[in-house]
Amino acid sequence: MSTETNKTIARRLVRAINQQNLAEIDAVFAPELAQEWKSVTLPWLYSTFAEHHVEITEMLAEDDRVVFWGDTSGLHSSEVDRLPPTGRTFELHFCDVYQIRNRKITRHASYYDALSFMQQLGVIPQA
């Protein structure tokens, strides 16, 4: 499978998240991951961060791996890590890594700046 095909799959995932399109989640994830995302990850994401949105800013692919850097934003509207909703908006930079086999995402990891996130929610004072 080409790296361009893998990049397209990653873009489809981001569109599905932004549009809350669960059918597309089934199309891009391996079955086990699709089930986890539909039953746990996305309900939590959508209920905890109103107006949540993801944008890809840069993407690289090699073999069966895709890495992209992006920006995410939203409104903290429900409890997260025992923190009651603050009603504050946030904007974060993050990095996602995917492994894609047979046109399905089989592994996923996400990395973000937790300190900046907590500062934006007012939990930790800004320096």
Side-chain angles (χ1 to χ4, degrees):
M1 189 170 358
S2 77
T3 56
E4 286 308 312
T5 298
N6 289 345
K7 287 180 177 182
T8 298
I9 292 167
R11 286 187 199 97
R12 285 176 59 195
L13 172 61
V14 169
R15 272 194 305 277
I17 292 169
N18 287 337
Q19 296 171 357
Q20 299 186 25
N21 183 342
L22 299 183
E24 187 70 359
I25 295 298
D26 283 326
V28 297
F29 274 119
E32 310 80 38
L33 278 178
Q35 183 57 37
E36 178 185 333
W37 273 65
K38 291 188 322 181
S39 64
V40 178
T41 304
L42 292 176
W44 173 82
L45 182 69
Y46 298 144
S47 68
T48 306
F49 304 112
E51 304 169 17
H52 180 263
H53 187 77
V54 177
E55 291 287 332
I56 296 172
T57 58
E58 189 174 351
M59 185 181 294
L60 299 172
E62 185 172 326
D63 298 325
D64 65 349
R65 308 293 169 127
V66 175
V67 176
F68 76 80
W69 292 264
D71 295 322
T72 186
S73 61
L75 172 74
H76 178 215
S77 55
S78 184
E79 182 177 310
V80 62
D81 295 333
R82 294 182 292 213
L83 173 66
T86 62
R88 292 182 179 216
T89 58
F90 65 91
E91 292 184 11
L92 291 175
H93 305 295
F94 71 98
C95 178
D96 272 10
V97 180
Y98 301 102
Q99 182 174 38
I100 301 173
R101 294 200 172 139
N102 299 320
R103 298 183 182 268
K104 299 283 187 176
I105 298 170
T106 58
R107 291 179 62 193
H108 166 256
S110 189
Y111 305 94
Y112 70 98
D113 183 350
L115 175 61
S116 174
F117 181 59
M118 290 295 135
Q119 287 174 329
Q120 290 179 58
L121 296 184
V123 176
I124 298 172
Q126 302 234 358

